[in-house]
């Protein structure tokens, strides 16, 4: 059984590397889902460009990945809500044979929209939407010279309808869901796989930053593996039981009722 597991892992690793090449870039890599992707991709031999704001944490991850998996890891301490920092990341990709991009950086907020700090809400739109568009535009340009490549973007369970008490965040995730779905079909014929990952609540620093009570949150561990398995085969993946259960339960209901139900769910997360 151990031999079979080892063989399957090697086959997956070989397939991922064969499809998407040597280099992968992961944003939001210091925590949560982004960090899970960093470790999963390192385990399968990818050279990595890891991006997040917190340099000391990135450097610890860099050392750990090098020591445990023997892979090349570069780290960039950038705040992608800043257009200048996004430009720096774009410039750093020049000359790199990047074949896989995981754009996981993002944050949310919770509460009455009119009572939330406007600057933070606008910052969220910059990070969750503008930076994704800017980075994706460059990444697709890099991918154009490759036979096969992959792009993973992050929607959310709350992105399929308006979500009261998380109005801006759910709107940014609706944007990403539509963006990913459109790109999936635009670039498929060019050998570019695009996937939207739409998780439910996840145990990360996200909840603390947003000020949420995360009672039913799932672990981020394993989300990368599920997502990589779906890349090239699906348009959207809903990792975890809660995301699947709530997603498929809500999808059959009229949109207005879904919004009312999301109001009840989100109001329970307000601290």
């Amino acid at each position: 059984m151990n031999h079979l597991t080892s063989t399957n892992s090697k086959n997956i690793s070989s397939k991922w590397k064969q499809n998407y090449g040597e280099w992968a870039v992961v944003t939001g890599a210091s925590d949560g889902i982004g960090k899970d992707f960093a470790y999963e991709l390192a385990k399968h031999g990818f050279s990595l460009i890891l991006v997040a704001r917190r340099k000391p944490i990135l450097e610890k991850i860099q050392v750990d990945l090098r020591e445990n998996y023997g892979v090349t890891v570069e780290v960039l301490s950038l705040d992608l809500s800043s257009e200048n920092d996004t430009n720096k990341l774009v410039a750093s990709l020049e000359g790199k044979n990047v074949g896989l991009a995981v754009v996981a950086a993002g944050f949310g907020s919770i509460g009455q929209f009119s009572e939330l700090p406007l600057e933070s809400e606008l910052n969220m739109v910059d990070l969750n939407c503008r930076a994704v568009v800017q980075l994706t535009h460059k990444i697709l340009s890099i991918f154009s010279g490759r036979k096969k490549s992959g792009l993973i973007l992050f929607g959310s369970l709350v992105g399929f309808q308006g979500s009261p008490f998380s109005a801006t965040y759910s709107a940014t995730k609706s944007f990403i869901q539509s963006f990913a779905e459109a790109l999936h079909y635009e670039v498929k014929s060019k050998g570019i796989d695009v996937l939207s990952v739409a998780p439910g609540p996840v145990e990360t620093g996200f909840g603390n930053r947003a000020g949420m009570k995360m009672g039913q949150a799932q672990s981020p561990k394993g989300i990368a593996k599920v997502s990589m398995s779906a890349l090239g085969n699906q348009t959207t993946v809903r990792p975890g039981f809660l995301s699947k259960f709530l997603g498929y339960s809500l999808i059959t209901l009229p949109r207005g009722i879904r919004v009312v139900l999301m109001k009840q769910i989100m109001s329970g997360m307000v601290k």
Side-chain angles (χ1 to χ4, degrees):
M1 190 68 173
N2 288 339
H3 172 71
L4 289 175
T5 301
S6 176
T7 301
N8 288 339
S9 179
K10 288 179 180 178
N11 289 339
I12 291 170
S13 176
S14 176
K15 180 182 176 183
W16 291 359
K17 290 288 295 296
Q18 183 179 355
N19 281 347
Y20 304 118
E22 292 294 323
W23 282 92
V25 57
V26 182
T27 73
S30 63
D31 190 25
I33 297 173
K35 183 178 178 181
D36 186 53
F37 266 95
Y39 276 83
E40 186 67 27
L41 295 177
K43 183 166 63 177
H44 292 288
F46 281 88
S47 298
L48 297 171
I49 303 167
L50 304 182
V51 185
R53 294 177 303 154
R54 297 173 291 178
K55 189 174 183 179
I57 296 177
L58 279 180
E59 289 177 337
K60 287 181 181 179
I61 293 171
Q62 179 185 41
V63 170
D64 196 29
L65 295 180
R66 285 174 173 173
E67 290 180 350
N68 285 286
Y69 303 109
V71 295
T72 300
V73 182
E74 297 181 5
V75 299
L76 293 170
S77 175
L78 298 171
D79 180 356
L80 299 182
S81 66
S82 159
E83 187 172 355
N84 286 337
D85 275 14
T86 307
N87 284 331
K88 290 178 184 177
L89 174 55
V90 166
S92 75
L93 300 179
E94 292 289 348
K96 287 277 197 320
N97 188 19
V98 175
L100 178 64
V102 181
V103 187
F107 75 95
S109 63
I110 193 163
Q112 291 277 356
F113 171 73
S114 60
E115 297 176 3
L116 293 169
L118 177 59
E119 183 178 357
S120 179
E121 297 296 287
L122 293 174
N123 189 249
M124 187 197 310
V125 174
D126 278 337
L127 179 58
N128 293 7
C129 298
R130 181 204 51 75
V132 174
V133 170
Q134 183 181 352
L135 187 55
T136 297
H137 195 271
K138 176 62 178 179
I139 285 168
L140 293 182
S141 174
I142 292 172
F143 286 173
S144 64
R146 298 180 53 84
K147 290 183 179 179
K148 190 75 169 175
S149 47
L151 171 64
I152 299 178
L153 304 179
F154 286 82
S156 170
L157 174 66
V158 303
F160 296 95
Q161 66 286 302
S163 295
F165 304 114
S166 193
T168 305
Y169 178 68
S170 63
T172 66
K173 292 306 175 181
S174 294
F175 175 89
I176 294 300
Q177 183 65 34
S178 294
F179 186 56
E181 287 173 354
L183 290 179
H184 176 90
Y185 290 100
E186 272 191 32
V187 301
K188 189 175 183 179
S189 63
K190 299 177 182 179
I192 303 173
D193 297 328
V194 179
L195 177 72
S196 171
V197 181
V202 177
E203 293 173 352
T204 68
F206 178 96
N208 290 332
R209 183 174 182 182
M212 292 181 181
K213 291 190 294 185
M214 306 280 276
Q216 296 291 326
Q218 71 180 92
S219 167
K221 189 172 177 60
I223 289 179
K225 186 174 183 179
V226 170
S227 301
M228 287 299 297
S229 297
L231 184 61
N233 301 310
Q234 297 173 228
T235 307
T236 301
V237 64
R238 299 172 182 266
F241 170 77
L242 189 60
S243 180
K244 289 183 177 66
F245 175 74
L246 288 176
Y248 294 122
S249 297
L250 290 170
I251 203 169
T252 60
L253 300 173
R255 190 176 179 96
I257 294 177
R258 299 205 309 263
V259 175
V260 171
L261 290 176
M262 287 307 300
K263 178 184 178 183
Q264 294 175 343
I265 292 170
M266 297 308 294
S267 64
M269 292 186 177
V270 178
K271 284 187 178 179

